[in-house]
Amino acid sequence: MATVSVAPRSGVYRVELPRTDQDNQELPDRVEMVPENRPARVAVLISAHQGLA
Protein backbone atom coordinates (compact mmCIF):
# COMPACT_ATOMS: atom_id res chain seq x y z
CA MET A 1 0.00 0.00 0.00
CA ALA A 2 1.39 3.36 -1.00
CA THR A 3 0.88 6.49 1.06
CA VAL A 4 0.63 9.88 -0.63
CA SER A 5 0.55 13.08 1.37
CA VAL A 6 0.79 16.79 0.70
CA ALA A 7 1.99 19.20 3.33
CA PRO A 8 0.40 22.64 3.33
CA ARG A 9 2.34 25.08 1.14
CA SER A 10 5.03 22.47 0.45
CA GLY A 11 4.50 22.28 -3.29
CA VAL A 12 5.26 18.55 -3.38
CA TYR A 13 3.55 15.20 -3.07
CA ARG A 14 5.34 12.86 -0.65
CA VAL A 15 4.97 9.28 -1.91
CA GLU A 16 5.90 6.43 0.45
CA LEU A 17 6.24 2.98 -1.09
CA PRO A 18 6.68 -0.05 1.19
CA ARG A 19 9.57 -2.41 0.51
CA THR A 20 10.54 -5.94 1.51
CA ASP A 21 13.63 -8.03 0.92
CA GLN A 22 13.84 -11.49 -0.67
CA ASP A 23 12.81 -13.10 2.63
CA ASN A 24 9.76 -10.84 2.86
CA GLN A 25 11.28 -8.87 5.73
CA GLU A 26 10.24 -5.23 5.89
CA LEU A 27 12.74 -2.62 4.75
CA PRO A 28 12.53 1.16 5.14
CA ASP A 29 9.94 2.68 2.81
CA ARG A 30 11.05 4.22 -0.45
CA VAL A 31 10.16 7.92 -0.30
CA GLU A 32 9.82 10.06 -3.42
CA MET A 33 9.07 13.77 -3.54
CA VAL A 34 7.04 14.76 -6.61
CA PRO A 35 6.45 18.41 -7.60
CA GLU A 36 2.81 19.48 -7.42
CA ASN A 37 2.78 20.25 -11.14
CA ARG A 38 3.48 16.56 -11.94
CA PRO A 39 0.62 14.63 -10.28
CA ALA A 40 0.68 11.98 -13.03
CA ARG A 41 4.16 11.05 -11.80
CA VAL A 42 2.58 9.89 -8.53
CA ALA A 43 0.40 7.42 -10.42
CA VAL A 44 3.39 6.20 -12.44
CA LEU A 45 5.44 5.60 -9.27
CA ILE A 46 2.65 3.60 -7.65
CA SER A 47 1.93 1.59 -10.80
CA ALA A 48 5.62 0.82 -11.35
CA HIS A 49 6.02 -0.19 -7.71
CA GLN A 50 3.15 -2.67 -8.08
CA GLY A 51 4.52 -3.97 -11.37
CA LEU A 52 1.65 -2.54 -13.40
CA ALA A 53 3.60 -0.05 -15.51
Side-chain angles (χ1 to χ4, degrees):
M1 174 187 306
T3 303
V4 180
S5 56
V6 180
R9 297 179 298 276
S10 69
V12 296
Y13 295 96
R14 184 175 192 266
V15 182
E16 294 180 59
L17 302 162
R19 299 185 313 150
T20 56
D21 65 14
Q22 294 177 357
D23 297 323
N24 211 27
Q25 298 294 317
E26 289 186 16
L27 297 171
D29 290 348
R30 174 180 165 196
V31 177
E32 296 279 342
M33 306 304 265
V34 179
E36 67 180 358
N37 64 344
R38 298 196 59 207
R41 176 78 177 134
V42 174
V44 169
L45 285 171
I46 293 169
S47 295
H49 183 73
Q50 294 178 342
L52 301 174

